[in-house]
Amino acid sequence: VDPTFTMSVDGAATKTATVGDTVSVDFNLAGGLENQKVLGVVIGYDSTALEVVADTDDGTNKRLSTSGSINPEIVPDATLAIGYVESTNVTLALASASAIPTSGRIATIKFKVLKEGESSISYTGIKYAESEGAGAVETQLTSLSSVMITGTTASQDSGSNENTGGNTGTDTD
């Protein structure tokens, strides 16, 4: 049985954000990865509309790590846990000395909205194996989820400080 993967932004499949804002997308394993110690996940995105906010950036290489985006609990005895940020995708390479949990958050990756319009983020490839060096199994991508980010511009009335709802802060002592 192939494992099941999901993703969400603030618990939903869609998010509207202002150009320049950053949104956090959760990538989750929902089940079916019993007794596996190696997981490779490729996440595709439109780099003209979204930019990955990397944990480290040395000017040449952008990376994600367990001290930032990658959930360290998904690789309890990590021998490898790194995310490679490339021009149109992110590749998460995870390996553990013990079995990877069968469900849980793999990573939370931040994306900066670069322009107006809709842009999707989706899984484009997933491989897993019982151990490093073992033959990897590539899962079918037929039922994997995606999220849609819609970039908008800030309101034209940005000079107004009017409170448009919620708690007004009035004290009625």
Side-chain angles (χ1 to χ4, degrees):
V1 174
D2 280 336
T4 304
F5 294 85
T6 63
M7 68 177 73
S8 64
V9 55
D10 295 335
T14 62
K15 174 77 173 182
T16 299
T18 303
V19 172
D21 284 354
T22 300
V23 296
S24 295
V25 180
D26 289 330
F27 298 88
N28 303 295
L29 171 61
L33 197 67
E34 288 78 14
N35 301 315
Q36 305 300 306
K37 296 179 181 176
V38 178
L39 176 62
V41 179
V42 180
I43 300 158
Y45 66 97
D46 177 356
S47 61
T48 66
L50 301 169
E51 175 184 13
V52 174
V53 179
D55 297 331
T56 62
D57 183 352
D58 66 8
T60 304
N61 300 303
K62 292 183 176 184
R63 301 279 189 262
L64 304 177
S65 68
T66 54
S67 62
S69 301
I70 299 171
N71 179 9
E73 294 173 10
I74 205 72
V75 280
D77 301 310
T79 57
L80 176 67
I82 193 163
Y84 302 94
V85 180
E86 299 164 318
S87 61
T88 59
N89 63 53
V90 175
T91 301
L92 300 176
L94 310 173
S96 183
S98 58
I100 292 172
T102 58
S103 65
R105 180 178 55 85
I106 299 167
T108 299
I109 301 175
K110 294 178 182 176
F111 292 86
K112 181 178 179 182
V113 179
L114 300 178
K115 69 178 186 179
E116 288 184 74
E118 292 183 342
S119 181
S120 69
I121 301 168
S122 61
Y123 293 105
T124 59
I126 294 175
K127 293 182 180 182
Y128 55 94
E130 289 186 14
S131 64
E132 289 184 79
V137 176
E138 188 163 356
T139 190
Q140 299 299 314
L141 297 173
T142 55
S143 63
L144 302 174
S145 69
S146 63
V147 294
M148 182 68 66
I149 307 295
T150 303
T152 62
T153 57
S155 169
Q156 297 297 330
D157 187 15
S158 61
S160 171
N161 289 327
E162 180 180 324
N163 187 339
T164 58
N167 184 352
T168 61
T170 305
D171 188 355
T172 58
D173 278 334

